Amino acid sequence: MKKLLVLVAGGIGYVLGTKAGRERYEQIRGTFKKVKDDPRVQEKAQHAADLAREKAPVVKEKVTEAANTATAKVRSANSSNPADQLNPESTVFQDNSGPRGDLP
């Protein structure tokens, strides 16, 4: 009997929640559409797109410079001896790099 009551209550809650959820969704969607279609918003969006097109070459140049600098740093780091870059305490080049002594 308890299971049936829980299932009925859950079903009613689901139906009511779904209806309220759909109504709220439609309300939000309508508000979004009003804002999106507002001429002032359209004007600002067009202005932003024009500004992005205007600044794109400058941004492209800066990104290219940064990528070239990063590439040069990686190449110079890879050309040197990797052993020089290791921590002197590193066990990478030791013959027996396992634990030493008796473990507790």
Side-chain angles (χ1 to χ4, degrees), residues 9-87:
I12 291 171
Y14 176 78
V15 169
L16 293 176
T18 301
K19 183 176 180 177
R22 182 66 181 186
E23 288 172 3
R24 180 69 178 140
Y25 167 78
E26 291 297 336
Q27 182 185 17
I28 292 169
R29 186 171 171 233
T31 302
F32 171 77
K33 192 170 182 179
K34 283 181 196 174
V35 170
K36 182 185 74 124
D37 293 339
D38 187 323
R40 295 172 294 181
V41 173
Q42 293 290 326
E43 181 183 336
K44 294 292 184 182
Q46 186 61 44
H47 178 68
D50 292 342
L51 184 63
R53 272 191 227 80
E54 179 185 320
K55 298 294 182 184
V58 174
V59 172
K60 178 184 174 187
E61 182 180 320
K62 288 186 178 190
V63 168
T64 302
E65 287 175 15
N68 289 338
T69 302
T71 301
K73 284 182 180 180
V74 169
R75 285 188 178 149
S76 69
N78 286 339
S79 66
S80 64
N81 184 2
D84 294 340
Q85 298 173 8
L86 291 176
N87 180 347

Side-chain angles (χ1 to χ4, degrees), residues 82-83 85-97 100:
Q85 298 173 8
L86 291 176
N87 180 347
E89 302 296 319
S90 175
T91 59
V92 171
F93 293 114
Q94 294 178 357
D95 291 333
N96 184 6
S97 61
R100 292 173 184 79

